[in-house]
Structure formats: C-alpha cells, structure tokens
Amino acid sequence: MLKRVLAMALVACAAIVPPARAQLPDRTLRIIGGFAPGGTSDLVARLIANAVAPLLDRNVVVENRTGANGFIAAEAVVRGDADGSVLFQCPMGTMTISPELPGLPMPIDPRKDLIPVANVALSSYGAVVRAGGPYSSMEAFLAAAQAKPGGLSYASAGIGTAQHLSGERLQRMAGIKLLHVPYRGAAPAALDIMAGRADFMVTNLGDVISQVQGGKLRLVALGDASMKSTFPEVPLLSDSVPGLEIAGWFGLCGPRGMPDAAVSAWADATKRALQDAALQKQLRDNGLTPLFEGPEAFGARMAQDRKAWGEVIAAAGVRVD
C-alpha cells in the first residue's frame, strides 16, 4: 500500500511540473545576441527573454557578443552546449544574407551549424530622407534620381548589409543609379541623412522610428504593409516600384544537435509569450510586428530569403573582400 501511495504521489508531482522543466537543463538559460545593447536586435532578445522566462520556469539572460555581423555570437552558440540552454538571437542578415556573400569569412556556417527554433518578429523596413529636405515623397526622390544618374546617394549600415542590398534591389527594379555610401551601422548613416550629407536610406524602422516620430527624418515609403496601421498615410515602396517589398525578421536559433524536446519547449514558450498584448505593443512601438513561426515555417522563410537575397547579390556583383 505504501509503495502504491508513493507511486501515485510521484505521478501527481510530475503532472504539475511545467513541461519545460523536463525538456531544458535545470539552470539559467541564455540568449546570445550579436549586436550592441540598445539596438533593435538586442531589444527583441531582451523582450522575448523576459516574456518566456516564467513560461519556461527558468531565469533567461541576454548576453551581447558583438562583432563580425553577428558571427561572434553565433560561433559562441555553435561551440557551446547543444542541450537547449543557449540560443542565438538570429537576425535576417546573419542567417540569410551573409552566407550568400562572396568573400565573406564565416567562422561557422549558419546553414548547417544553426537550426531554426522560432521566429519572433517581422522587422518592417522604410525609406527615409531628411525632414525638410528637397524630397517630399518617394516619387520625388525617384524623379530626382532618374534626372541625375549617380548624383544622389543612399546610405547603408555597411557593405553586404540588408540596407545596402535593399538599395541595390531598388536601383535594379526602379531603373535608377545611386551612389552607395556605407557606414559602420545604421545610426551614423541616419545621422548623416539628417545632416544632409547623404540623401536616402532603406532600413528597418526600429533603427529610425524615434527620428521619424521626432520630425528629424521623413518616412516616404514602407517596405511592406505590416506597419501600415501605425503609418496609415505613408505609401508602400511597391506603390512607386511595383513588386518591390522589403522586410526583415528577428528570431531564435539553436546549435545543431539541440534536442527536439528542447526546441519544442522554446518554440511553445515563444508562441505563448507573443500572445500577450503588452509584449505585442512593445514590439509595435519599436517598428516591429509580432510574428510567431515554428521551426518548420521559420526554416522555410530562411531558405526563401537566402534565395531572394542571393539573387540580388549576384545581380549587383556584391563582394566582401
């Protein structure tokens, strides 16, 4: 009888233990981000870490290991434990653009060494110019660019970044020629646009939304319709350049060999977290659209984006040497 009572008690205790406890290591979990604190990538990592911690019944901390376009952080995850205790905060550029860039040294191959766990947010892109400058609309900028081939500049966060390739895609599809001016990050690029030293940039809204709302930058077009409710008066890029749509994303990836149960635990917690209205608002306030995708759908998105960006890179002859 005593054995039967003890067995029933053990079953009852197991029933009330959150599933994640059995699927993840019993210690602090980490999300490693490859970009500096305060940026959009870091913001997403911290918001989701705070949101999933109670659902996973673990402390979840964010570490920043900056440099090499996110690859220092990615390598730390790949070389670390594959037990589900450490994830990479994986942005679109590191996962889909970098592997397609000829000449870019990569310490790990994100196509083979990292696996999709969950997408977190869609990162809307927007075209911005100096507020009070000569271009009041996307059409005005395109007309000026057509009238002066190579006479107008577009800024980017560096060679081979999404901003750079977005400009290349725009030129090809709109039939214009712009001067590319690469910077070391989106922030200094935006500063030079505000100062009139560069004319134009397509970048993720999270990097410039405060300057747009503060009247320092003019948002002349949205890269896709996901932020249309926030900026209902702003047209889409496709309104001026048919077929042109640009959006990014920020998700979570794990090291190859991560157990399926651990992947499921993280994915399920992320899905539940993104149903919270407060978290949804925090993301939207920073130019992001909550978007949960599980491992399969997220992996399909990565493959599709690698193909699309690879075509842009090949057509523009972009190299990183």
Side-chain angles (χ1 to χ4, degrees):
M1 177 64 72
L2 179 59
K3 290 182 179 179
R4 186 177 179 184
V5 170
L6 288 173
M8 292 175 63
L10 288 172
V11 170
C13 289
I16 62 174
V17 173
R21 290 203 66 87
Q23 297 168 348
L24 294 172
D26 190 13
R27 60 176 182 271
T28 295
L29 307 178
R30 295 180 293 153
I31 298 174
I32 301 182
F35 298 89
T40 306
S41 181
D42 176 69
L43 172 74
V44 174
R46 293 182 186 281
L47 288 177
I48 203 66
N50 291 337
V52 300
L55 302 175
L56 295 173
D57 196 26
R58 297 286 192 280
N59 290 326
V60 182
V61 300
V62 174
E63 294 182 12
N64 300 92
R65 300 196 185 187
T66 62
N69 197 30
F71 277 100
I72 290 177
E75 184 178 20
V77 172
V78 169
R79 309 291 185 220
D81 293 331
D83 56 4
S85 62
V86 185
L87 294 188
F88 175 48
Q89 196 289 298
C90 49
M92 179 189 71
T94 307
M95 299 302 296
T96 69
I97 293 176
S98 294
E100 303 300 319
L101 281 169
L104 181 70
M106 297 189 301
I108 58 100
D109 186 343
R111 295 164 295 193
K112 300 176 181 178
D113 298 328
L114 290 165
I115 61 171
V117 173
N119 202 1
V120 174
L122 190 70
S123 174
S124 289
Y125 273 59
V128 294
V129 297
R130 178 169 61 91
Y135 313 114
S136 59
S137 66
M138 189 68 196
E139 288 81 1
F141 176 79
L142 291 175
Q146 288 166 348
K148 297 173 57 180
L152 300 184
S153 63
Y154 79 96
S156 81
I159 294 173
T161 61
Q163 292 92 342
H164 173 199
L165 298 180
S166 295
E168 294 291 346
R169 181 182 284 177
L170 170 66
Q171 291 179 85
R172 183 160 53 96
M173 296 182 69
I176 59 174
K177 178 64 177 175
L178 302 171
L179 174 65
H180 176 220
V181 183
Y183 290 80
R184 298 185 67 179
L191 285 172
D192 264 17
I193 292 175
M194 288 186 284
R197 291 186 286 268
D199 297 308
F200 176 86
M201 178 167 64
V202 179
T203 190
N204 73 70
L205 285 179
D207 288 332
V208 294
I209 194 167
S210 62
Q211 293 94 329
V212 168
Q213 293 173 335
K216 296 179 180 179
L217 289 172
R218 175 181 291 138
L219 181 63
V220 293
L222 293 168
D224 73 304
S226 60
M227 289 295 289
K228 194 66 172 164
S229 60
T230 303
F231 300 100
E233 75 289 353
V234 179
L236 302 179
L237 278 172
S238 58
D239 293 334
S240 301
V241 184
L244 180 58
E245 182 173 306
I246 299 171
W249 41 260
F250 294 96
L252 298 172
C253 295
R256 182 186 58 206
M258 182 174 165
D260 291 344
V263 172
S264 295
W266 276 100
D268 292 345
T270 302
K271 182 178 182 179
R272 291 168 60 194
L274 287 171
Q275 295 170 358
D276 180 71
L279 176 58
Q280 292 176 8
K281 183 178 185 303
Q282 286 177 300
L283 290 168
R284 291 188 182 279
D285 286 348
N286 286 278
L288 299 157
T289 300
L291 177 67
F292 172 77
E293 290 175 326
E296 185 174 345
F298 190 24
R301 178 182 290 274
M302 286 186 195
Q304 180 180 351
D305 285 354
R306 282 188 190 119
K307 181 177 183 295
W309 288 117
E311 290 172 353
V312 174
I313 290 166
V318 176
R319 288 191 59 86
V320 178
D321 294 314

